Amino acid sequence: MKVIIFLGPPGVGKGTQCSLLSTRLGVKHISTGAIIRQEIASESALGLRVKSIVEAGHLVDDKSIFECLESALSSMNFQNNDLILLDGIPRNLSQAKEFEVLIGKFSSKVDLVISLSADLNKLLERFERRWTCSACGKIESIAPHTDMSHYACRSCEKTGTMFRRKDDEPETVKRRFAVYQQETLPLVSYYADKNNLSIIDGLRQPEIVYAEIVSILLRK
């Protein structure tokens, strides 16, 4: 399998781009954030353990993350040329090295790293508009001061189902940004030294960002 890692601060659009690539190109996508949320929803022992961590805006411990990731990779039937997209991991230098060991078990390596860059103040404004539907799970950007009790989800059309996740609250987001700058941002230099890094402005319209990513994939 060919491994492509997406880096970038919270809310920059890593998940959006991976979803577009997965839907349109048929490539496989693993989001550690989604894996963790599914684990929490299952109310398993692991899910209960990480729930309080996520809601406090902290990071889930590496051991739990890699247990989920290895299980997800093992359940997929990969061919040699299959592309796999990962967002949310690695989040620091220690995880980057551990991840290389993990994918080595599958006779793979990190083939490409795409870093979506953005001004954090502008990203905070994006989070202030970010709401999630409790019925279908879709995330929407909604103008401030909207009456959410009468708002209908654009996806499932249900009313009164939109809520703001604990890890999307402004104060939690600021803590997540601080962690990103301290732990994850150094990965940009780490992968640049390995000559497999491409940096893209992540604040542009999703379709423009998508087109640039596809162009990079075609060149690689």
Side-chain angles (χ1 to χ4, degrees):
M1 61 182 175
K2 307 289 186 182
V3 177
I4 302 173
I5 291 174
F6 279 76
L7 296 178
V12 75
K14 301 184 295 294
T16 296
Q17 293 303 321
C18 286
S19 180
L20 288 173
L21 291 163
S22 178
T23 300
R24 296 177 182 179
L25 303 182
V27 298
K28 295 178 173 64
H29 171 213
I30 291 181
S31 165
T32 52
I35 290 173
I36 290 170
R37 287 193 291 273
Q38 289 168 7
E39 201 67 47
I40 290 173
S42 73
E43 298 187 340
S44 66
L46 173 60
L48 294 175
R49 187 167 76 246
V50 302
K51 181 178 180 180
S52 60
I53 301 174
V54 172
E55 290 185 348
H58 300 306
L59 298 179
V60 179
D61 63 279
D62 289 359
K63 181 176 182 296
S64 299
I65 290 174
F66 278 93
E67 284 177 357
C68 294
L69 183 56
E70 184 166 5
S71 176
L73 290 172
S74 297
S75 67
M76 295 181 177
N77 210 0
F78 290 110
Q79 304 298 319
N80 288 339
N81 292 322
D82 283 348
L83 293 180
I84 177 171
L85 313 175
L86 290 108
D87 72 276
I89 197 165
R91 295 185 298 205
N92 53 50
L93 291 172
S94 175
Q95 283 192 358
K97 294 171 183 176
E98 187 170 351
F99 179 71
E100 288 163 8
V101 172
L102 173 60
I103 59 174
K105 296 179 182 179
F106 299 87
S107 301
S108 297
K109 61 180 179 61
V110 176
D111 295 280
L112 174 66
V113 178
I114 295 176
S115 177
L116 302 182
S117 65
D119 179 273
L120 297 186
N121 289 325
K122 292 181 179 179
L123 274 185
L124 185 57
E125 294 176 6
R126 181 181 289 185
F127 270 105
E128 290 173 348
R129 296 169 171 263
R130 184 168 173 166
W131 294 79
T132 302
C133 178
S134 61
C136 68
K138 293 295 184 180
I139 296 173
E140 291 189 28
S141 179
I142 302 173
H145 311 302
T146 299
D147 183 356
M148 302 308 296
S149 63
H150 294 91
Y151 183 88
C153 172
R154 290 195 291 267
S155 180
C156 68
E157 300 183 347
K158 292 185 178 180
T159 302
T161 59
M162 306 305 293
F163 74 102
R164 179 169 281 156
R165 295 194 335 235
K166 292 290 185 181
D167 53 343
D168 288 342
E169 293 286 351
E171 290 307 313
T172 303
V173 170
K174 289 177 183 178
R175 289 197 296 271
R176 294 171 67 195
F177 283 169
V179 171
Y180 167 77
Q181 289 179 300
Q182 180 178 352
E183 298 194 10
T184 307
L185 192 56
L187 288 176
V188 174
S189 297
Y190 176 77
Y191 286 115
D193 289 342
K194 292 178 176 292
N195 297 315
N196 58 1
L197 175 75
S198 293
I199 299 176
I200 297 175
D201 178 0
L203 280 179
R204 294 170 298 169
Q205 290 296 317
E207 289 295 339
I208 296 175
V209 176
Y210 171 79
E212 186 168 348
I213 292 172
V214 171
S215 176
I216 291 171
L217 293 179
L218 289 174
R219 291 200 303 269
K220 297 292 182 179

